[in-house]
Amino acid sequence: PLISMSIGHRKLDGELVKKDTLRNIEESGQFVVHIPHEGQADLVNQSSAEYPPNVSELDELGLTPIASDVVSVPRIKECRIAMECRLEQVVMLGRPRALNGLVIGEVVRWHIDDEVWDPQRNAPSIERLQPLSRLGGSSFGATSELVSLPRPDWAAKGIKS
């Protein structure tokens, strides 16, 4: 499967430059996407600080890097789901003062903690995972209430393709 994310630029010494994450992905051709849980909201927020390039966010936040299976980039032990990815492409979008890199990667290995795996559904349990999403700026989304909707059956409605 493919995954995508948008990574902005930042100002460094008055100049607009690529964020370290985007630069590292472009240089290595690999990355790991983690799905944090609601209890990690403060850590996720703290990781968004504009650390200098020579400072490790993992060290600063007390997170544990562990070896990935397929890519050379380490993953974070404290995250319940991690996706090892190989870079497909980066598409630069936006205006010169608001550039973003749309990163598209292929997921080559999944790591899903047994604690959140639901063997009956053969999938992660959203209720156990309690995923946290960044919505933009300082806003985050939590799954305190799940909504499940059945998929529509267009054929039953008499709609022809």
Side-chain angles (χ1 to χ4, degrees):
L2 296 178
I3 190 168
S4 65
M5 61 184 165
S6 176
I7 303 173
H9 283 56
R10 70 176 183 149
K11 284 211 173 191
L12 183 64
D13 299 327
E15 185 180 335
L16 195 64
V17 297
K18 292 178 181 177
K19 288 187 176 181
D20 296 340
T21 301
L22 180 57
R23 194 186 73 249
N24 291 339
I25 290 171
E26 288 180 319
E27 288 175 4
S28 71
Q30 305 173 358
F31 56 100
V32 178
V33 175
H34 298 88
I35 300 180
H37 58 79
E38 294 172 16
Q40 295 172 317
D42 188 57
L43 283 171
V44 172
N45 188 49
Q46 292 300 318
S47 75
S48 71
E50 293 190 5
Y51 294 90
N54 61 336
V55 173
S56 165
E57 289 91 336
L58 295 180
D59 291 343
E60 289 295 312
L61 300 174
L63 295 170
T64 312
I66 57 174
S68 295
D69 293 342
V70 178
V71 301
S72 62
V73 180
R75 55 193 173 96
I76 299 171
K77 180 180 181 181
E78 291 81 6
C79 284
R80 296 174 180 163
I81 294 184
M83 293 166 269
E84 296 183 33
C85 303
R86 286 201 181 107
L87 179 63
E88 285 287 322
Q89 68 177 348
V90 175
V91 180
M92 295 308 298
L93 301 169
R95 299 178 306 278
R97 294 177 54 96
L99 284 175
N100 284 277
L102 176 62
V103 176
I104 303 168
E106 176 189 9
V107 179
V108 294
R109 179 67 52 100
W110 288 80
H111 299 274
I112 303 172
D113 193 297
D114 290 342
E115 179 182 322
V116 300
W117 186 253
D118 182 346
Q120 292 179 332
R121 291 183 43 239
N122 198 31
S125 164
I126 301 301
E127 296 85 358
R128 286 186 235 147
L129 177 60
Q130 299 179 324
L132 179 73
S133 61
R134 180 155 183 233
L135 302 174
S138 61
S139 298
F140 292 85
T143 54
S144 54
E145 181 180 344
L146 291 179
V147 177
S148 181
L149 301 172
R151 295 285 176 121
D153 183 354
W154 294 107
K157 293 183 179 199
I159 298 172
K160 297 181 181 182
S161 56

